[in-house]
Amino acid sequence: MAYQFDWSSIAPSIPFLVDGFIITAKITAAAIVVGIVWGTALAMMRLSNIKLLRWFAAFYVNMFRSVPLVMVLFWFYLVVPNLLQNILGLSPKNDIRLISAVVAFCLFEAAYYSEIIRAGIQSISRGQANASLALGMTQMQTMRLIVLPQAFKAMVPLLLTQGIVLFQDTSLVYVLGLTDFFRTATNIGERDGTQVEMILFAGLIYFIFSFGASMLVNYLKKRTVS
């Protein structure tokens, strides 16, 4: 007997799905912003003349790029509560799972963003940096005013592509029991006996947002080339 799809539970569940999607969006936005900022710092460390900074940045990037994201999520789920409560003396009011997931994604994604940013910095002609130094600018001024603006302009499509991957990877917070968009959809499916329908609907939403962002990346690539 063919499976009978039942889509009737989707419409009444929209408010709960929106709440779950907000959590997904918060994790994604925080990881993109912090990941790019910290990733830029790591990239500059790897290009620094100071050996200790280069070693630290290389170790950080290689460590996080060599470990599965789901394992990092579990690490920080175990570490963050102890850090907040025992070391910092804080008792977080928000769900500790959300805080742990945000910290894990921010630090994990920074390793990937740093490699993108480092490649972007190295793609800028060394002659421009030398010219600015010859005009009396410091190395930091050269990096901030000359190199980074051009590098980020060229890197926007790659940064957005990594953001798409990050958005998709947020579904892994499912393992922490955090009620993000995917977890909310599966919970509703289990409650109403419509798991197949809810998973298909969640997949459709992920596809729509990811595909739309991919179209934006392609548009920006064409503008960059032209």
Side-chain angles (χ1 to χ4, degrees):
M1 184 176 180
Y3 182 81
Q4 298 295 319
F5 287 97
D6 179 11
W7 307 99
S8 60
S9 63
I10 292 179
S13 303
I14 292 298
F16 303 103
L17 292 170
V18 169
D19 289 340
F21 192 84
I22 289 174
I23 292 178
T24 296
K26 286 180 178 179
I27 297 173
T28 303
I32 289 176
V33 173
V34 177
I36 290 177
V37 172
W38 179 222
T40 301
L42 289 170
M44 294 177 66
M45 288 182 195
R46 295 202 70 177
L47 298 173
S48 171
N49 294 325
I50 303 174
K51 186 176 181 180
L52 182 61
L53 292 179
R54 292 201 310 271
W55 180 88
F56 168 78
F59 173 79
Y60 181 100
V61 171
N62 291 327
M63 180 185 69
F64 276 102
R65 284 167 62 93
S66 302
V67 178
L69 175 56
V70 66
M71 186 176 294
V72 176
L73 287 169
F74 276 120
W75 282 352
F76 283 94
Y77 181 59
L78 297 174
V79 170
V80 169
N82 292 329
L83 178 66
L84 292 178
Q85 295 172 6
N86 298 335
I87 299 178
L88 300 179
L90 300 177
S91 180
K93 297 179 181 179
N94 297 322
D95 191 337
I96 194 64
R97 291 170 296 183
L98 176 58
I99 298 174
S100 302
V102 169
V103 172
F105 269 100
C106 289
L107 298 182
F108 184 86
E109 291 299 321
Y112 287 85
Y113 278 121
S114 71
E115 291 298 275
I116 297 173
I117 295 167
R118 182 166 70 99
I121 292 173
Q122 291 178 322
S123 69
I124 304 302
S125 171
R126 183 63 186 171
Q128 295 190 45
N130 292 334
S132 63
L133 292 173
L135 292 174
M137 297 178 67
T138 65
Q139 288 188 343
M140 287 301 298
Q141 288 175 327
T142 299
M143 182 64 67
R144 181 169 56 89
L145 300 176
I146 305 298
V147 177
L148 285 180
Q150 296 183 75
F152 271 104
K153 183 178 180 180
M155 289 185 298
V156 166
L158 290 175
L159 294 175
L160 285 176
T161 299
Q162 184 61 32
I164 295 171
V165 175
L166 164 61
F167 170 69
Q168 296 168 346
D169 285 346
T170 55
S171 60
L172 288 175
V173 300
Y174 179 95
V175 300
L176 302 181
L178 187 61
T179 52
D180 69 319
F181 178 71
F182 183 69
R183 178 78 181 193
T184 301
T186 56
N187 286 346
I188 293 171
E190 291 175 359
R191 182 196 67 190
D192 299 338
T194 56
Q195 283 181 296
V196 174
E197 291 84 350
M198 293 307 301
I199 289 176
L200 288 174
F201 178 73
L204 175 63
I205 299 301
Y206 278 107
F207 171 78
I208 290 173
F209 277 89
S210 298
F211 183 75
S214 297
M215 292 298 98
L216 176 60
V217 169
N218 291 333
Y219 170 74
L220 293 174
K221 282 183 179 179
K222 292 179 181 178
R223 288 198 61 181
T224 302
V225 172
S226 60

